[in-house]
């Protein structure tokens, strides 16, 4: 049944009525917010007027503290309520422009009348708070919109299944309160809606996709049963967007029990973290904890060691083939990424129960109080059945008790009185009052109190270091793994790997392949504080994590539900896919696997070109959005700069706002950037870039993961530049393009271009 002209008028009339209702709610909320703001200001002004302050007696002090706490909590509650109203107003402001995007008419079984259900980014009740004008897209009933065509349908609510019949499914495009598009469809989301959403220019920030969620994406969003959700999605399939909507759904579904601190999202790089930062706020939710795995490791390892980034490791692999240690380093990367290396480390750690652990001296003012040998002797006197971390805690308690005699001895020494003279008035006053309580000579007591205060403070720092288990020499114990002979299950060139590893460690440098193993090892020695607060962990670009890294993450988050999203076709790091959970066929306990095969980002022409050389065997479907064929320009090396500038100009004429030159390496990025920077405004993106603006950009491919651009220019797509081992890199670079893709080649095109059918691209300059 087609859309009648009268339907347009009726739907616009309803939009106007909803906008009017939103206006009323805004007015009420503004009045509340104004009143609350005035209350907060007044409470801040008169805070101490309403607090009873009396410090004469201990009971009075307790009463004063309680009074201050009560007043502070009262103020905090007012401020929280004011902030909540502010968030509600932001949502209403967004809804006023586009109150909803979908409608379904649903008739429950055994009910006479059908309900007209309008779906939007948030729920909206009428003036009396009785009837829903708009249902939140995350509400159980809204799943009907995403999961069913016309006909029989059902949804789950409160452990019950509500069954019925969908008689109408309608989609809207509403801009600034005006109806711009209206489609009736029998499928989940009509092509018209997707065409409208996907046909625009790329953005510097990812947008929410609640209006265009597909059935398979909805499965990702609402999956609640599995402890491990695996999402293999081809480039541009919307897996990251679905993951963010999943977070919003979980925050809505478990609002009483789940807060932003309980959810952690690991992103591939800082640029991507910035790219997705506005999706959750757009949906009325606070941003959850976001981090890169590199940042996570660096925070835990601390500043004592320099930790190589995965991007620096990748740059080494791509540019340092002539380095004398190159093959050894590759072998090291490959072995240390495996579960075999983890098994070797576990065996080594087990052996440390009998001997081989190293400790540090406990020193004070240059004098060794307790030697490392003494600590080692005490450690190995403890029962072997006690775990290493528990033993460390016992040693810490022993060390603190052993410090007490030394602390008493230091009080009488001359250096203490020098420190006493540097104390402030408050310390002297405190000492005076303490001395008064003693029966002996006042002056002697005051000096003694001050001496004790100085020594207590100095030893307090030492005690804190012991409590933090800093007496354990984790690094020296770790190095011993690479010195020990006769270790079974190692590669043939293990000695060369050990030599290279020790060279790095001697410079306090942790290569990317050593960072996770070292942190895992340190945790096995002293405990690693498992992240029990994190209830949901989402890992994007999961195909780039090694087997060892996954095992480490599971070790840290033993009770956490995980969502892994990625694309095996875009696995750009060394030897990470062999045991990656995203690989089909690998057995994972208590898991759900969802595969997304349709690419929505690129035009049909770009998708048909790139699927021919996709590294994996996964099916790839093109979305039916037409554009120009990818273009291959054959030219001389000295023509590269002019060709890039000409392509930029051509893309600007088409209305493209984000044009990216994507290079294979940072080294190539630097070289091409130098050619262009004096000719045109161009922004270079590095691993330290946290955000970017629309315009002309240049970056290495490994920093483009997860981001899309209107047009992509690959400055050197020749056979010399991209070889078989670079297949995933080239595929990733090409699939960043939404509308236009241009590849420049000197001499022979790379093999991946030639693998595509000749009619899927245009060769220019033959």
């Amino acid at each position: 049944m087609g859309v009648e002209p009268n339907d347009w008028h009726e739907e616009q009339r309803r939009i106007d009525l909803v906008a009017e209702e939103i206006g009323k709610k805004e007015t009420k909320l503004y009045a509340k917010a104004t009143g609350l703001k005035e209350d907060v200001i007044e409470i801040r002004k008169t805070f101490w007027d309403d607090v009873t302050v009396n410090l004469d007696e201990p009971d009075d002090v307790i009463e004063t503290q309680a009074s201050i706490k009560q007043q502070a909590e009262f103020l905090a509650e007012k401020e929280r309520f004011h902030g909540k109203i502010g968030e509600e107003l932001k949502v209403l402001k967004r809804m006023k422009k586009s109150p909803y995007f979908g409608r379904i008419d649903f008739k429950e079984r055994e009910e006479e009348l059908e309900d007209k259900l309008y779906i939007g980014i948030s729920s909206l009740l009428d003036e009396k708070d009785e009837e829903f004008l708009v249902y939140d897209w995350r509400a159980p009933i809204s799943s009907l919109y995403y999961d069913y065509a016309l006909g029989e349908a059902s949804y789950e609510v409160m452990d019950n299944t509500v069954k019925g019949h969908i008689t109408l499914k309608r989609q809207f495009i509403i801009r600034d309160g005006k109806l711009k598009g209206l489609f009736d469809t029998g499928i989940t989301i009509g092509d018209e809606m997707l065409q409208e959403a996907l046909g625009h220019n790329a953005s510097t920030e990812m947008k929410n996709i609640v209006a265009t969620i597909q059935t398979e994406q909805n499965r990702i969003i609402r999956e609640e049963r599995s402890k491990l959700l695996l999402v293999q999605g081809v480039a541009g399939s919307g897996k990251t967007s679905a993951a963010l909507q999943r977070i919003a759904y979980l925050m809505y579904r478990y609002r009483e029990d789940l807060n932003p601190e309980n959810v952690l999202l690991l992103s591939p790089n800082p640029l991507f973290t910035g790219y997705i930062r506005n999706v959750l706020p757009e949906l009325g939710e606070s941003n959850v904890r976001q981090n890169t795995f590199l940042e996570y490791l660096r925070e835990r390892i601390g500043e004592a060691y320099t930790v190589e980034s995965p991007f620096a490791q990748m740059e080494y692999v791509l540019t340092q083939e002539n380095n004398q240690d190159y093959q050894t380093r590759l072998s090291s990367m490959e072995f240390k990424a495996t579960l075999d290396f983890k098994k070797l480390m576990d065996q080594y750690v087990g052996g440390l129960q009998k001997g081989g652990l190293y400790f540090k001296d406990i020193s004070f003012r240059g004098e060794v109080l307790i030697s490392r040998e003494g600590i080692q002797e005490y450690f190995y006197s403890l029962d072997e059945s006690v775990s290493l971390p528990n033993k460390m805690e016992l040693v810490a308690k022993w060390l603190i008790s052993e410090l007490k005699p030394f602390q008493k001895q230091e009080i009488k020494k001359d250096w203490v009185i020098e420190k006493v003279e540097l104390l402030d008035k408050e310390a002297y006053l405190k000492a005076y009052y303490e001395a008064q309580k003693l029966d002996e000579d006042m002056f002697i007591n005051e000096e003694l109190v001050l001496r004790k205060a100085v020594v207590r403070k100095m030893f307090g720092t030492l005690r804190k270091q012991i409590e933090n288990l800093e007496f354990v020499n984790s690094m020296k114990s770790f190095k011993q793994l690479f010195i020990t002979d006769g270790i079974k299950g190692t590669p043939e060139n293990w000695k060369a790997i050990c030599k290279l590893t020790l060279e790095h460690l001697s410079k306090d440098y942790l290569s990317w392949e050593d960072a996770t193993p070292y942190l895992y090892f340190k945790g096995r020695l002293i405990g690693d504080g498992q992240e029990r607060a994190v209830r949901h962990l989402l890992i994007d670009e999961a195909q780039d994590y090694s087997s060892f890294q996954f095992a480490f993450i599971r070790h840290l988050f033993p009770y956490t539900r995980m969502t892994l999203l990625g694309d095996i076709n875009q696995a750009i790091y060394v030897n990470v896919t062999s045991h990656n959970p995203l690989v089909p066929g690998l057995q994972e306990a208590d898991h759900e696997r969802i595969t997304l095969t349709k690419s929505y980002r690129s035009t049909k022409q770009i998708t048909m070109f790139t699927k021919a050389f996709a590294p994996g065997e996964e099916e790839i479907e093109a979305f039916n959005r037409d554009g120009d064929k990818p273009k291959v320009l054959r030219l001389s090396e000295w023509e590269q700069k002019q060709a890039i500038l000409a392509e930029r100009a051509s893309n600007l004429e088409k209305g493209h706002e984000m044009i990216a030159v994507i290079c294979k390496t940072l080294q190539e990025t630097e070289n091409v950037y130098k050619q262009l920077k004096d000719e045109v405004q161009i922004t270079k993106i590095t691993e330290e870039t946290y955000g970017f603006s629309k315009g002309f950009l240049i970056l290495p491919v490994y920093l483009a993961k997860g981001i899309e651009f209107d047009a992509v220019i690959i400055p050197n797509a020749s056979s010399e530049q991209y070889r078989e081992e670079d297949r995933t890199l080239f595929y990733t670079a090409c699939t960043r393009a939404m509308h236009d893709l241009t590849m420049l080649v000197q001499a022979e095109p790379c093999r991946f271009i030639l693998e595509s059918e000749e009619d899927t691209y245009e060769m220019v300059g033959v």
Side-chain angles (χ1 to χ4, degrees):
M1 184 176 66
V3 178
E4 300 292 335
N6 190 51
D7 292 335
W8 279 78
H9 297 306
E10 286 297 317
E11 295 292 3
Q12 182 61 61
R13 190 174 67 83
R14 189 181 191 280
I15 292 167
D16 295 339
L17 288 173
V18 170
E20 185 180 335
E21 191 61 46
I22 290 172
K24 291 177 184 177
K25 289 186 179 292
E26 282 180 321
T27 302
K28 288 181 181 178
L29 284 173
Y30 276 124
K32 275 187 183 179
T34 303
L36 275 169
K37 186 177 181 181
E38 291 171 356
D39 287 349
V40 168
I41 293 170
E42 184 62 25
I43 293 169
R44 285 175 177 169
K45 280 182 181 178
T46 61
F47 186 92
W48 293 105
D49 297 343
D50 297 322
V51 173
T52 304
V53 179
N54 190 341
L55 304 176
D56 293 339
E57 299 293 335
D59 288 347
D60 296 330
V61 171
I62 293 171
E63 186 180 334
T64 298
Q65 290 173 338
S67 180
I68 292 171
K69 183 181 178 184
Q70 184 179 11
Q71 187 72 350
E73 287 175 349
F74 181 59
L75 174 60
E77 185 61 30
K78 290 277 187 182
E79 289 174 331
R80 275 195 297 272
F81 195 29
H82 184 266
K84 188 178 178 183
I85 289 176
E87 292 301 317
E88 288 179 23
L89 283 168
K90 287 179 184 176
V91 172
L92 287 175
K93 186 178 180 181
R94 284 194 288 269
M95 289 186 74
K96 206 168 188 178
K97 293 180 178 179
S98 181
Y100 42 80
F101 49 79
R103 165 186 164 184
I104 48 174
D105 291 358
F106 181 67
K107 183 177 179 296
E108 288 187 31
R109 285 186 183 176
E110 300 177 2
E111 293 288 336
E112 293 184 8
L113 300 176
E114 61 186 12
D115 293 317
K116 295 178 181 179
L117 311 173
Y118 287 82
I119 316 297
I121 64 166
S122 183
S123 294
L124 181 72
L125 290 163
D126 63 9
E127 193 171 1
K128 296 179 181 179
D129 288 341
E130 292 177 350
E131 298 291 333
F132 277 94
L133 299 175
V134 183
Y135 284 90
D136 192 299
W137 66 276
R138 297 166 289 187
I141 199 169
S142 300
S143 64
L144 293 168
Y145 176 74
Y146 298 111
D147 289 342
Y148 291 98
L150 301 181
E152 294 296 319
S154 64
Y155 66 95
E156 304 289 330
V157 60
M158 300 290 287
D159 297 324
N160 291 320
T161 301
V162 179
K163 296 181 179 180
H165 196 88
I166 296 176
T167 58
L168 176 75
K169 180 175 288 187
R170 180 166 286 176
Q171 297 153 24
F172 307 99
I173 298 172
I174 304 171
R175 299 284 181 265
D176 294 321
K178 299 299 178 186
L179 186 58
K180 301 294 185 182
L182 176 59
F183 317 105
D184 281 355
T185 178
I187 59 175
T188 304
I189 304 296
D191 278 1
E192 299 95 337
M193 196 81 164
L194 275 169
Q195 291 280 11
E196 201 277 339
L198 298 169
H200 292 297
N201 289 329
S203 171
T204 57
E205 295 173 348
M206 182 178 283
K207 302 299 182 184
N208 77 70
I209 61 164
V210 293
T212 56
I213 292 169
Q214 301 294 286
T215 302
E216 64 273 21
Q217 294 168 336
N218 197 42
R219 282 183 62 205
I220 297 168
I221 293 166
R222 296 175 188 263
E223 164 61 40
E224 297 181 47
R225 295 168 298 177
S226 307
K227 187 172 181 184
L228 176 64
L229 176 61
L230 305 172
V231 181
Q232 160 60 37
V234 300
S237 57
K239 53 188 177 292
T240 301
S241 297
L244 292 167
Q245 318 301 315
R246 173 170 172 76
I247 293 173
Y249 171 77
L250 292 170
M251 299 295 288
Y252 173 88
R253 175 78 170 79
Y254 300 101
R255 189 165 297 284
E256 300 300 320
D257 305 314
L258 199 65
N259 64 61
E261 286 300 308
N262 300 139
V263 182
L264 173 61
L265 172 62
L266 292 180
S267 302
N269 54 58
L271 183 67
F272 187 76
T273 301
Y275 180 60
I276 64 175
R277 67 179 176 270
N278 277 335
V279 175
L280 289 173
E282 267 190 19
L283 296 168
E285 298 292 348
S286 301
N287 266 323
V288 297
R289 291 171 58 186
Q290 292 184 45
N291 226 332
T292 67
F293 190 51
L294 172 63
E295 290 167 341
Y296 191 84
L297 292 182
R298 282 177 172 171
E299 285 172 12
R300 285 173 162 262
I301 289 171
E303 297 179 359
Y305 304 102
T306 300
V307 179
E308 181 188 39
S309 73
F311 317 114
Q313 186 202 62
M314 171 61 75
E315 194 69 17
Y316 177 92
V317 171
L318 296 175
T319 63
Q320 298 298 310
E321 287 179 318
N322 295 326
N323 188 301
Q324 62 178 4
D325 295 320
Y326 185 76
Q327 290 303 325
T328 301
R329 176 91 196 265
L330 283 189
S331 297
S332 180
M333 290 179 199
E334 290 174 359
F335 181 59
K336 291 173 182 175
T338 65
L339 294 179
D340 288 338
F341 183 55
K342 180 179 177 296
K343 183 179 179 181
L344 183 152
M345 287 190 67
D346 288 336
Q347 291 171 347
Y348 173 65
V349 170
L352 293 177
Q353 282 281 18
K354 298 182 181 299
L357 260 176
Y358 290 90
F359 298 90
K360 300 175 185 176
D361 293 328
I362 303 296
S363 301
F364 184 75
R365 292 179 57 81
E367 179 186 351
V368 176
L369 304 184
I370 306 170
S371 71
R372 69 193 77 172
E373 292 83 8
I375 299 172
Q376 188 179 54
E377 183 180 345
Y378 180 79
F379 178 89
Y380 283 112
S381 72
L382 298 172
D383 191 338
E384 273 188 34
S385 65
V386 180
S387 70
L388 291 175
N390 287 344
K391 275 189 181 181
M392 296 303 177
E393 295 292 341
L394 293 173
V395 173
K397 289 178 182 178
W398 173 74
L399 287 171
I400 289 172
S401 68
E402 290 291 300
L403 280 184
K404 290 177 181 177
F406 294 108
Q407 186 171 335
K408 286 182 179 179
Q409 292 171 16
E410 292 295 321
I411 292 172
K412 301 174 184 177
K413 294 186 177 179
D414 293 340
W415 69 266
V416 181
I417 200 65
E418 295 173 9
K419 294 285 185 183
V420 166
E421 292 170 358
L422 299 175
L423 293 174
D424 55 25
K425 290 181 181 179
E426 186 180 346
Y428 275 97
L429 190 61
K430 186 177 180 182
Y432 172 77
Y433 282 118
E434 286 189 27
Q436 276 189 323
K437 297 175 185 176
L438 303 175
D439 297 330
E440 300 171 18
D441 181 83
M442 177 75 174
F443 177 75
I444 295 173
N445 285 337
E446 188 176 336
E447 180 183 318
L448 181 61
V449 169
L450 288 168
R451 280 176 171 269
K452 284 181 178 179
V454 167
V455 174
R456 186 165 55 246
K457 184 178 180 181
M458 297 281 282
F459 268 75
T461 303
L462 190 58
R463 194 157 41 247
K464 192 70 177 174
Q465 291 171 350
I466 292 171
E467 288 170 353
N468 291 336
L469 308 182
E470 293 179 28
F471 58 87
V472 184
N473 197 331
S474 301
M475 180 52 77
K476 189 172 182 181
S477 302
F478 182 65
K479 286 179 181 177
Q480 193 63 31
L481 171 63
F482 304 99
I483 297 172
T484 306
D485 292 327
I487 297 178
K488 295 179 181 179
T490 54
E492 290 182 6
N493 59 344
W494 176 242
K495 286 189 176 180
I497 291 173
C498 290
K499 181 174 179 292
L500 182 61
T501 303
L502 290 170
E503 284 177 10
H504 288 155
L505 297 180
S506 67
K507 299 172 185 175
D508 295 332
Y509 179 80
L510 281 164
S511 64
W512 182 241
E513 61 269 24
D514 283 322
T516 302
Y518 170 68
L519 194 54
Y520 173 70
F521 173 79
K522 185 178 178 182
R524 289 292 310 275
L525 291 191
I526 65 174
D528 40 32
Q530 293 175 334
E531 291 264 15
R532 296 177 188 273
V534 177
R535 293 173 56 188
H536 290 272
L537 172 66
L538 295 93
I539 303 178
D540 203 1
E541 303 295 344
Q543 75 279 350
D544 291 331
Y545 287 70
S546 72
S547 301
F548 195 116
Q549 288 169 337
F550 272 126
F552 173 66
I553 288 169
R554 284 177 175 166
H555 171 73
L556 283 183
F557 301 91
Y559 308 108
T560 301
R561 291 184 179 274
M562 298 188 190
T563 302
L564 310 183
L565 310 107
D567 179 14
I568 293 299
N569 290 322
Q570 299 178 66
I572 63 175
Y573 296 107
V574 175
N575 193 39
V576 297
T577 60
S578 58
H579 290 90
N580 191 294
L582 294 178
V583 176
L586 287 180
Q587 297 301 312
E588 294 290 334
D590 191 19
H591 79 284
E592 175 77 14
R593 183 183 297 275
I594 297 175
T595 302
L596 304 178
T597 58
K598 183 173 283 189
S599 177
Y600 298 101
R601 173 186 297 134
S602 304
T603 61
K604 182 178 180 180
Q605 285 72 18
I606 294 173
T607 302
M608 296 306 293
F609 168 72
T610 56
K611 70 181 289 188
F613 54 83
E617 298 178 358
E618 293 74 21
E619 181 185 356
I620 300 174
E621 300 175 69
F623 177 66
N624 191 25
R625 180 168 64 85
D626 282 325
D628 293 334
K629 290 180 182 180
K631 187 163 49 175
V632 179
L633 299 183
R634 302 190 72 154
L635 40 83
S636 303
E637 187 177 345
W638 55 86
E639 296 177 295
Q640 184 187 59
K641 180 174 76 172
Q642 293 307 318
I644 293 173
L645 293 174
E647 284 303 304
R648 170 184 174 274
S650 173
N651 282 310
L652 288 174
E653 285 180 12
K654 292 180 179 180
H656 296 334
E657 297 176 345
M658 285 179 63
I659 305 164
V661 178
I662 299 184
C663 303
K664 178 181 171 182
T665 64
L666 183 61
Q667 189 177 88
E668 183 190 7
T669 301
E670 296 281 2
N671 293 337
V672 178
Y673 175 73
K674 287 176 183 177
Q675 292 180 38
L676 300 173
K677 66 184 179 70
D678 294 330
E679 303 288 334
V680 68
Q681 179 66 40
I682 185 169
T683 301
K684 180 177 64 176
I685 291 175
T686 69
E687 65 175 283
E688 303 299 326
T689 304
Y690 283 78
F692 60 97
S693 302
K694 290 184 177 181
F696 193 35
L697 314 168
I698 186 168
L699 69 165
V701 61
Y702 47 77
L703 293 181
K705 302 291 284 288
I707 302 175
E708 57 192 24
F709 307 97
D710 291 323
V712 166
I713 302 168
I714 298 177
N716 184 1
S718 64
S719 57
E720 291 182 357
Q721 180 76 343
Y722 287 96
R723 294 163 294 182
E724 176 56 40
E725 57 265 33
D726 303 319
R727 183 178 290 271
T728 55
L729 289 171
F730 191 71
Y731 176 79
T732 301
C734 291
T735 54
R736 300 308 93 199
M738 291 178 65
H739 308 297
D740 281 279
L741 171 64
T742 303
M743 296 153 282
L744 311 185
V745 298
Q746 295 101 36
E748 279 297 307
C750 67
R751 61 184 300 169
F752 315 123
I753 295 173
L754 301 178
E755 285 177 17
S756 300
E757 297 291 335
E758 289 185 11
D759 62 354
T760 62
Y761 60 94
E762 180 185 1
M763 183 75 78
V764 180
V766 180

